[in-house]
Amino acid sequence: MKRIRYPIIVEGKYDKIKICSLFDATVITTDGFSIFNKNEKLSLLRSLAERGKIILLTDSDGGGHLIRSHIKSAIPPDKLINLYTPKVEGKEKRKREASREGFLGVEGIDKDTLISLLSPFTTDEDSPKGTGLTKADLYALGLSGREDSKSRRETLLRALNLPHDMTANAMLSALDILYSKEEIEAKIKELN
């Protein structure tokens, strides 16, 4: 499976599932329109953009354009790679009815189209996507598997200006691409 060299921003979890079924990629969801109410999510995107480019791939409908515009207003243009799905009429398999505008979203677009869109951003490097932070590291740092892990995660995420309601797995992905293990250890010591 080819690895995408940049993080990809999509609207929802089914978009993420579709992309992750085709590529080894770091995919972050906007959770649809909740991106408008979650400053922490925008902060995460800004942090990613400080470290390099990010790919923005939203649906080609009115909602996707609103979300894209909101993100574009928060991220420097030289840090965004704007990819667009073609407007294909249809209905996603998991839905009873087509969307209001009648177009397929990222999750419904055929795999060959997504592969074609994202292939220019793949890499053959064997290096890991991030710094190598693992679930075992989270446990050792007291961020998972303990009675107070959730509150410790929330405290760390707030201090890093990241969404404080992330699951341990989502946090692991974000921390792994944003910080080294040493930086996380230092931040935790500072907070204690």
Side-chain angles (χ1 to χ4, degrees):
M1 188 177 287
K2 292 266 189 183
R3 183 168 68 83
I4 303 290
R5 72 183 75 173
Y6 306 116
I8 304 169
I9 311 307
V10 296
E11 291 179 45
K13 69 179 180 180
Y14 294 103
D15 300 335
K16 178 178 180 174
I17 290 167
K18 177 82 174 243
I19 290 171
C20 289
S21 74
L22 302 172
F23 295 98
D24 178 11
T26 300
V27 183
I28 298 162
T29 64
T30 67
D31 302 322
F33 289 122
S34 67
I35 189 77
F36 294 101
N37 303 320
K38 291 187 174 181
N39 289 334
E40 294 165 326
K41 185 72 83 155
L42 271 181
S43 179
L44 170 60
L45 300 184
R46 284 186 191 107
S47 295
L48 288 170
E50 286 174 9
R51 299 195 186 281
K53 292 185 180 275
I54 57 177
I55 296 171
L56 181 56
L57 180 61
T58 59
D59 297 348
S60 290
D61 59 8
H65 290 300
L66 283 173
I67 292 167
R68 181 181 295 274
S69 292
H70 185 65
I71 293 171
K72 284 172 70 174
S73 71
I75 306 293
D78 63 318
K79 296 295 188 165
L80 278 178
I81 299 169
N82 284 285
L83 295 183
Y84 297 87
T85 58
K87 284 191 172 186
V88 176
E89 289 188 5
K91 173 186 83 65
E92 270 86 15
K93 291 178 183 177
R94 70 177 179 84
K95 296 181 179 176
R96 290 186 197 191
E97 297 177 13
S99 68
R100 186 174 358 152
E101 295 179 38
F103 298 115
L104 293 174
V106 172
E107 73 173 276
I109 294 295
D110 68 275
K111 72 177 189 172
D112 292 333
T113 300
L114 280 177
I115 289 170
S116 174
L117 280 169
L118 292 167
S119 286
F121 307 102
T122 60
T123 180
D124 289 326
E125 295 175 12
D126 289 333
S127 61
K129 286 186 284 193
T131 60
L133 198 65
T134 66
K135 287 185 179 184
D137 294 326
L138 292 186
Y139 180 79
L141 295 168
L143 299 171
S144 71
R146 300 185 185 175
E147 215 172 277
D148 64 343
S149 292
K150 183 178 180 182
S151 64
R152 291 174 62 101
R153 279 195 309 272
E154 288 175 358
T155 300
L156 175 64
L157 291 169
R158 284 181 206 277
L160 296 172
N161 203 22
L162 294 173
H164 65 273
D165 57 352
M166 292 174 126
T167 64
N169 286 336
M171 183 187 76
L172 177 62
S173 292
L175 294 180
D176 190 43
I177 57 177
L178 291 171
Y179 302 98
S180 69
K181 182 179 172 186
E182 293 75 22
E183 289 172 314
I184 297 301
E185 288 172 342
K187 191 64 167 177
I188 289 172
K189 282 182 184 176
E190 178 186 316
L191 293 171
N192 289 337

